[in-house]
mmCIF file of all heavy atoms in Angstrom:
data_model
loop_
_atom_site.group_PDB
_atom_site.id
_atom_site.type_symbol
_atom_site.label_atom_id
_atom_site.label_comp_id
_atom_site.label_asym_id
_atom_site.label_seq_id
_atom_site.Cartn_x
_atom_site.Cartn_y
_atom_site.Cartn_z
ATOM 1 N N GLY V 206 136.532 190.587 133.312
ATOM 2 C CA GLY V 206 137.527 189.748 133.867
ATOM 3 C C GLY V 206 138.637 189.308 132.902
ATOM 4 O O GLY V 206 138.482 189.391 131.669
ATOM 5 N N PRO V 207 139.624 188.576 133.542
ATOM 6 C CA PRO V 207 140.911 188.232 132.744
ATOM 7 C C PRO V 207 140.567 187.230 131.617
ATOM 8 O O PRO V 207 141.469 187.246 130.626
ATOM 9 C CB PRO V 207 141.730 187.460 133.780
ATOM 10 C CG PRO V 207 141.137 187.899 135.215
ATOM 11 C CD PRO V 207 139.753 188.160 134.937
ATOM 12 N N VAL V 209 137.947 187.258 129.410
ATOM 13 C CA VAL V 209 136.931 187.899 128.516
ATOM 14 C C VAL V 209 137.392 187.670 127.042
ATOM 15 O O VAL V 209 136.449 187.382 126.301
ATOM 16 C CB VAL V 209 136.842 189.354 128.863
ATOM 17 C CG1 VAL V 209 137.955 190.185 128.383
ATOM 18 C CG2 VAL V 209 135.447 189.761 128.227
ATOM 19 N N ASN V 210 138.658 187.423 126.780
ATOM 20 C CA ASN V 210 139.017 187.190 125.390
ATOM 21 C C ASN V 210 139.417 185.671 125.197
ATOM 22 O O ASN V 210 139.972 185.304 124.260
ATOM 23 C CB ASN V 210 140.296 188.062 124.964
ATOM 24 C CG ASN V 210 139.838 189.505 124.900
ATOM 25 O OD1 ASN V 210 138.723 189.757 124.615
ATOM 26 N ND2 ASN V 210 140.906 190.273 125.142
HETATM 27 C C1 NAG N 4 140.551 191.733 125.161
HETATM 28 O O1 NAG N 4 140.748 192.086 123.875
HETATM 29 C C2 NAG N 4 140.590 193.496 123.504
HETATM 30 C C3 NAG N 4 140.785 193.831 122.110
HETATM 31 O O2 NAG N 4 142.011 193.130 121.631
HETATM 32 C C4 NAG N 4 141.579 194.281 124.456
HETATM 33 O O3 NAG N 4 141.420 195.675 124.218
HETATM 34 C C5 NAG N 4 141.358 193.947 125.917
HETATM 35 O O4 NAG N 4 142.405 194.594 126.681
HETATM 36 C C6 NAG N 4 141.396 192.451 126.129
HETATM 37 N N1 NAG N 4 140.973 192.157 127.477
HETATM 38 C C7 NAG N 4 141.694 191.321 128.297
HETATM 39 C C8 NAG N 4 141.142 191.158 129.645
HETATM 40 O O5 NAG N 4 142.563 190.594 127.894
#
Side-chain angles (χ1 to χ4, degrees):
V209 73
N210 294 330

